[in-house]
Amino acid sequence: MVANCLFFRRYNILREEFTFWKREKIKNNAVTNKHLIPILIILLVFNYLENFLYELANHFMPKISSVLNWSDLFTKQAIDLLAALACYALIWFAFVILIQLFFFYFLRIRDHLDHWSDMKLKVFNPGIHLICLLFLIAGLPLANVGYKLPLVTLIKLPYFIAQTFIKNIFLVAAILLVVMFFWLLIIKLLQTIPAIMSGKSFSDAVRYSWFEMSAKKIRHLTLAFLTNLIVLLLLIGLVFCIQTLVDQVPFFSARVSANLLIVFFTGLLYGATYEMLRCIFRNSFSDQERIFAPFFEHKISIKQILLAIVSIIGIGLISSISTNNFFPVINRRVLVISHKGSNGNNGVPNSLQSLKSTSRLKPNYIEVDVRYTKDHQFVVMHDDNLKSLTGKNLKPEQATLKQLEKITMKAVGHQTKITSFQKYANYAWNHGQKLLVEIKTPSISQKYESLSKVFLSKYGKSLVKHHDLIHSLNQGLINSIHKKDPNLKVGFIISYNTESLPHKGNNFYTIEYSTLDNELVGTVHRQGKRIFAWTSDDALSMHWLSVMNVDGIITDYPQKLKTILKTPGRFDYNKALLFYMLNIRQAY
């Protein structure tokens, strides 16, 4: 009898626990359904608004050369500078507020944690601003992977800068080590912001977060992030395989398929960002023993799966349409442009040696860099110092042309003498090779009027006669050349596509390829101008640029590019899509 009573008591206790667990399961289901869409919308809207403000700020921001020449404090440049700084400040304060809202949302609204019940927004707290700045720096690698983190998405590292680090494996290892330690520091400080919002001083909040973030939480957070990243990489592989199959089907448009997959993948990036944010708060503010326990606490219903899929596709569609981030209809023939006159390692770049070899391939243009000498001549040279090529610590403008022509350059297993631009151009003109001439200037403040006058007096008529092009980073120089000789085709070199595009004084733009996107290409073409992408050397980026409707691709490997462009009409969209997924162009 006693045994029966004990049995029924135990049964009732278990039944009550099961009923409570079932109620919690239903509540968790509701929470999952209820919170996915708002976070996705918040991320999309904020990324759109910050991108709008960022472009507005860049539009107002005057050129450095204009700032250096101010003669009066109350000039148009000063007003534009203040407007640009106001936009930047607005972006930053919006970011700081959003970070606090995320803490407030996840800790108070979503998870109902009583420990954080007294949290309040603090817009001007210097401690919160400092931690937000650290969060921003820590998020830079994640944005370049593709996560749609607020503000961080605007800061993309151009490939030509990253390339200098990639070549040195020891430098890469050192950078990765520093990044890992920095992330560990950020994780240890993760609870500083909500602690300050709850009324603690900065020092007390730092101490609290440092001891609260245990080794178990750090381990769980790291594992959650790695899992998220692995799933994202697997999805990239799946999208690539689907597009590869479509590329082989002649009756279905490969471009349409690639654009549909862009929509799906963009939505996946937002979903991955939401899941990462959820993992951060789940594993940083919870004492859960098992990292994957929330996934097994309740059965995910078909309704939930369909809701998630529809939400992701919807967000991806809105994002892609708002940025016009689709592969366009191809209506232009891509020009092959040899960077520094090279074709791989066929000679010292920017030399008569490499020109002779490369011109046999008949690229549409050969790009060459020229610099001003001490005796007002022009020499073929890229760097502003001869040390890397010759071992001499000498600038071209510090020596005469005759002195420079006696110096031997060594690079990529070759050696040759420095070449005057006159000899270089004469060989190209005699062999029917068009040139794209980049005029290098020692500094922004250099007087470009005299430089343009001397250059045009020597080469202007010949360049026009042979249909050559000129471009430069110095917009003042290009404007001056364009005014003096409107028949000469000139272009601006823009190293980052967030810079506002000037509308006058040029015929084309040369833009660093890794920051280029379809919206920028469309903007340039709507101006009735051409766009050249520099410097694409790997096959994936060449495939991507070949379907982006650019007018020309500058590369160190023109033979490789000509092979890729040999069969127009049926491009490898799978490789173009893979490059897009691995090098995300979209800001929102």
Side-chain angles (χ1 to χ4, degrees), residues 5 26 34 55 58 68 75 200 271 295 359 365 370 390 397 423 471 483 503 528 531 550:
C5 290
I26 295 171
K34 187 170 64 175
E55 290 181 350
N58 287 326
L68 294 176
T75 61
K200 294 182 183 295
F295 290 104
S359 61
Y365 288 92
V370 301
T390 68
E397 66 265 24
K423 291 179 181 178
H471 64 171
K483 288 179 181 178
H503 294 273
I531 180 170
V550 297

Side-chain angles (χ1 to χ4, degrees), residues 130-139 179-192 209-210 213 218 221 280 284:
L130 175 61
I131 300 299
C132 284
L133 178 61
L134 296 179
F135 284 179
L136 179 68
I137 297 172
V179 169
M180 289 172 61
F181 276 108
F182 186 70
W183 277 354
L184 179 61
L185 172 66
I186 294 302
I187 293 172
K188 292 290 286 183
L189 297 177
L190 192 59
Q191 296 195 28
T192 303
S209 179
W210 192 269
M213 294 302 298
I218 294 173
L221 184 59
I280 288 174
S284 301

Side-chain angles (χ1 to χ4, degrees), residues 190-309:
L190 192 59
Q191 296 195 28
T192 303
I193 289 180
I196 294 176
M197 292 172 67
S198 297
K200 294 182 183 295
S201 65
F202 178 73
S203 57
D204 289 341
V206 169
R207 281 194 292 269
Y208 170 82
S209 179
W210 192 269
F211 290 107
E212 186 67 20
M213 294 302 298
S214 62
K216 180 184 70 176
K217 290 182 178 180
I218 294 173
R219 185 171 61 252
H220 285 188
L221 184 59
T222 303
L223 185 56
F225 169 70
L226 290 177
T227 303
N228 190 304
L229 187 60
I230 290 171
V231 171
L232 187 60
L233 291 175
L234 290 175
L235 290 170
I236 289 175
L238 176 62
V239 170
F240 175 75
C241 291
I242 293 172
Q243 185 60 43
T244 301
L245 292 174
V246 175
D247 282 348
Q248 308 306 315
V249 179
F251 56 82
F252 193 81
S253 172
R255 186 181 70 87
V256 172
S257 170
N259 286 332
L260 291 175
L261 289 172
I262 280 180
V263 170
F264 180 63
F265 182 71
T266 303
L268 286 177
L269 289 176
Y270 272 98
T273 304
Y274 165 79
E275 186 59 32
M276 188 183 69
L277 290 172
R278 199 162 68 94
C279 286
I280 288 174
F281 288 95
R282 177 202 304 149
N283 296 289
S284 301
F285 295 86
S286 171
D287 293 322
Q288 178 64 254
E289 291 290 337
R290 293 179 298 140
I291 181 173
F292 297 111
F295 290 104
F296 303 107
E297 286 175 354
H298 57 273
K299 182 179 178 181
I300 300 177
S301 66
I302 299 296
K303 180 181 177 181
Q304 281 182 281
I305 295 174
L306 291 176
L307 177 64
I309 292 174

Side-chain angles (χ1 to χ4, degrees), residues 454-465 470 485 488:
V454 174
F455 185 82
L456 289 177
S457 67
K458 291 178 178 292
Y459 309 112
K461 291 182 180 179
S462 296
L463 291 171
V464 173
K465 177 182 176 181
I470 296 177
D485 191 348
L488 196 55

